[in-house]
Amino acid sequence: MKVLTSWKTLGGVLLLCLLVASLNVIANRLLAPVRWDTTEGKVYTLADGTHSIIKKAKASGRPVTIRFYMSEPEDVQLPKKYVDYSKRVKDLLEEYSKASGKTIVVQTFTPVPNSEEQDAAELDGIQQRDPRMDMPQSSNLDDYDYNQRASQPYYFGLSVSSLEKIETIPFLNPELEDRLEYQLSRSIIAVTRKSKRRIGLLEGTEMSLGGSPGMMGAPGRPPSVIYRNLAREFEIVNVPFDVGPMKPGDTEHPFAGLDLLLIVHPVKINRPQSPQPGMPPMGNTTLELLSQETQYAIDQYLVNGGKAIAFLDNQHFVSRFFDIYSAKLPFTPQDRHPQWAKDLHQLFETSGWAHYRSGLDDLTTAWGVGLGRDEPMLYDPKYSRPVMFERPLNQMLQREFRLNRLLGQIPTRRDQQMITQPLFRGNGLMAKFENEALTSEHPVTRDLSSIQMVDPSPIVGKPKTGLSMRTLVSTSNRAKSVPGDLAHILLGQGARQEQITSNFQSAGIKPERYPVAVILQGKFKSAYEEDPTKPDPAEEAPPAPIAPTPVTPPVKAPLLPEGAPDSINTPQPEPAPEPAPAPEPEPAPEPEPATESEECEETEGEASSPEEEPEEKAPVTPAETVPPTETPEPPPTEESPTSDPSPGTETDAEESSAPSPDPEDEDAGPAQEPDHHQLEGSEEGIMAIISDVDMLFDYFMGDAERGASRDNNNVDFIMNLVENLAGDQDLLNIRGRDSTSRSFTVINDIREKAADRAAGPRQKIKDAIEEARKTLEEGQEGRDIGGGLMVIGQSEESIEKAQEIETKIRDLQREENKISRQQRAEIQAAINSYEWTNMLLTPTIVIIIGLVVGITRKFKTAAK
């Protein structure tokens, strides 16, 4: 009986195993497409934009092949993170293949030396990497594998191809995991699209986003990160800085056929140039904003339904970095100051400028929205933090002859340090906008985490009628808009970042929320009543016919009695005593109705005009006898008036005949340019305004493709904005998605809290060290030995005091190190407590549940 029971139990177990295996087979076949993604951000689920791109690839009729190359981890020494990342890549490629049916074919290759797979990888442009370059730097020899595997190169990349087009990701960097889906979808679009969209780039002289060639054998400047990203998606057309408006039908104009116009810091900075090689530069640095002609071209482009993005700036950080005269001297000239101080201040006032700004002043005024010029710098205590930089002062002084000469005239070392310290160091405000600062309702910023700017400016005003404004990025409600002069003072007075923060926080400015990136949309109205580039017709047209002057026509001398005034001479005050002939000028208004008959002057002759003029201009009594003698002459012969009057009437006749062809010419001119100027467009245009230019530079956004770290979404923000305005919405929902690797936010919070608690004592110690060093420097004495050289020494009396100060500084540094050790111990203790809690929490819960279940069963058994 027991044997039968055991066989039944064994059969039940076997039947259960068979049932489970059958269910797994059925689930793999029938439920393979069904997946449940429980991760935050749905990192294992294809985005809606990817599905739309796959549908377009199907409709294009172009099959897509994805070739994935990865060396065998057992053959080469691959880092573990690459092996883990390869699983994520394979899973994503499988999702693409399932979603596309048979349109996208995924092929996997394992290149080995001297194989066809290796040849295919090299033909597709996959990067060959040395594993020793990926190893962490360490002094421990046990961390390295010196066998044959350590020197064998490997491949880890993929290519996307369709017919004749191919896109390659030469190396799959695990640091760019959040961009993997975007890179794949972008490559699919690139190989299935027939033609690229066009972007016009109008940039100032300080930008050179597309790179610049080297001069005099020096290395050139490579294209920037944002330019390379745009060049993959679009055809970039360089627009001249001074460009005129586009006429209808002009296919050669830079604006013709553009999908988007990109305006980047539109300002020319004319720096002093050397007249001859080896000589110092001469002249002053000047600014040149966009001309009215170019602004009118942009105006008409938007009025006709164009789309544009403008990166403007009121405090260009990079320009201030490269200009030594942007520093603010730590004094204001007064009468008691020596001449060298006055000359130095005058040099900085004439060679530099207060604001490194660019703008579209005519257009923004008409739109009602623009950068605040009176208060150009924003400080947000929630998102802003001071940044400090050191200028290469020695290199700059080599080409600043006048400044070098004035600095050599400073007599004391202390004054030299006071003057040169602001020149060495510069300060700015770095703003990293996160969370609620990014509008979650707009697709451009919906999936982004942070956007970094430097010295952003507020965007003020309300859009005019017909335009709507959408805010993309804004400050918190505690932001302050600081005037330019005050901002320079607050930045220059802080020797440390904490002091600069305190300066801005104590500034008596009302806090408010300000937008820093907006989109204007609607039917734009022209900022100009008429075409400002069109020449004035009054200047080009021939002079208008001169109306008959009220001067009396010349009268033959024999007809004048002796002593009568000549027609050229001004009449004597003799007409004044003659009020009686006042009724005689009354007929003068009667000829005015004759203006009705002036239309037929050519048939009736011009005899009436010489008759009216003598009546109006002949109040002198001796001349009253003259009109009767002249009036009978014109009626018999109508040709006599044209010959009798001297050249004055001949010019009148010529002028009267000249206007006849002019109206025809004037009518023919405008007929050549119909509808050239439009006051209001019939189509909606779009204009995006971003109040910072520094965010475009590689230094602030990071070049992950070249190994630099990137902790912001500047590239994603710009690419999203460009694609949103250019009309392609599919990639917006893909870029900037979450990564599968998650950071320990609890540990980060522990470190931040520990740093905040240690900041106060550490700051007091730093202040004491700085004060001690200043006291030590004041005890030094300088002696001028001529030629601009100075010997620094110490007196015998101050040696002991200097040693005491140095001992005090070392003691303070030990205290600072002690605080750092305590901070690390506090962080480690908190981390250990969390680790033990996590390890003991699960068994504790299991034990508690077991006890509860056991006690419950015991009570139930006891009750029976």
Side-chain angles (χ1 to χ4, degrees), residues 35 37 39 41-51 54 66 68 84-101 104-108 156 158 160 169 172-173 176-188 733-735 737-740:
R35 302 187 67 177
D37 190 354
T39 59
K42 305 295 182 183
V43 296
Y44 289 102
T45 303
L46 295 181
D48 295 337
T50 300
H51 287 288
I54 293 175
I66 300 178
F68 174 53
D84 297 338
Y85 184 48
S86 65
K87 299 177 182 178
R88 161 70 171 147
V89 176
K90 292 178 181 178
D91 290 341
L92 188 62
L93 293 178
E94 184 180 355
E95 291 295 321
Y96 272 86
S97 179
K98 290 180 179 179
S100 65
I104 299 178
V105 178
V106 178
Q107 300 174 353
T108 303
F156 187 40
L158 59 82
V160 181
I169 304 178
L172 293 169
N173 190 351
L176 300 178
E177 180 183 355
D178 56 343
R179 294 175 55 84
L180 177 59
E181 184 178 353
Y182 165 75
Q183 289 178 328
L184 287 171
S185 300
R186 186 208 63 80
S187 300
I188 294 173
N733 299 325
I734 307 174
R735 188 184 292 106
R737 301 191 70 195
D738 292 337
S739 172
T740 55

Side-chain angles (χ1 to χ4, degrees), residues 440-607:
S440 59
E441 299 176 356
H442 201 282
V444 172
T445 54
R446 179 184 300 150
D447 298 324
L448 303 184
S449 300
S450 64
I451 294 176
Q452 187 165 284
M453 298 183 180
V454 188
D455 295 343
S457 301
I459 297 178
V460 298
K462 295 182 179 180
K464 295 294 182 65
T465 304
L467 298 179
S468 61
M469 185 175 74
R470 294 284 302 275
T471 300
L472 300 179
V473 185
S474 62
T475 65
S476 68
N477 54 6
R478 298 186 295 163
K480 297 179 180 180
S481 183
V482 187
D485 295 337
L486 178 60
H488 281 290
I489 294 174
L490 297 179
L491 289 174
Q493 288 179 349
R496 296 184 304 274
Q497 296 181 353
E498 294 80 5
Q499 291 181 355
I500 297 175
T501 301
S502 178
N503 292 341
F504 278 95
Q505 289 180 350
S506 60
I509 301 175
K510 181 181 178 181
E512 192 176 346
R513 185 185 298 273
Y514 296 94
V516 294
V518 300
I519 292 180
L520 296 176
Q521 185 173 0
K523 295 182 180 180
F524 283 82
K525 295 181 180 179
S526 178
Y528 306 91
E529 293 295 333
E530 58 183 8
D531 186 356
T533 64
K534 189 176 182 180
D536 189 359
E539 297 179 358
E540 288 193 350
I546 303 175
T549 58
V551 182
T552 56
V555 185
K556 295 182 180 180
L559 299 177
L560 296 175
E562 295 181 1
D566 190 26
S567 62
I568 300 176
N569 299 329
T570 58
Q572 300 292 332
E574 298 176 5
E578 217 175 277
E584 296 180 359
E586 291 178 1
E590 296 177 0
E592 291 179 1
T595 53
E596 301 176 355
S597 60
E598 287 179 359
E599 299 176 355
C600 49
E601 286 181 353
E602 297 179 357
T603 57
E604 295 180 359
E606 299 179 356

Side-chain angles (χ1 to χ4, degrees), residues 48-50 52-53 56 189 723 727-734:
D48 295 337
T50 300
S52 176
I53 292 171
K56 292 180 180 178
I189 289 178
E723 286 166 355
D728 193 347
Q729 308 291 326
D730 293 334
L731 293 176
L732 295 180
N733 299 325
I734 307 174

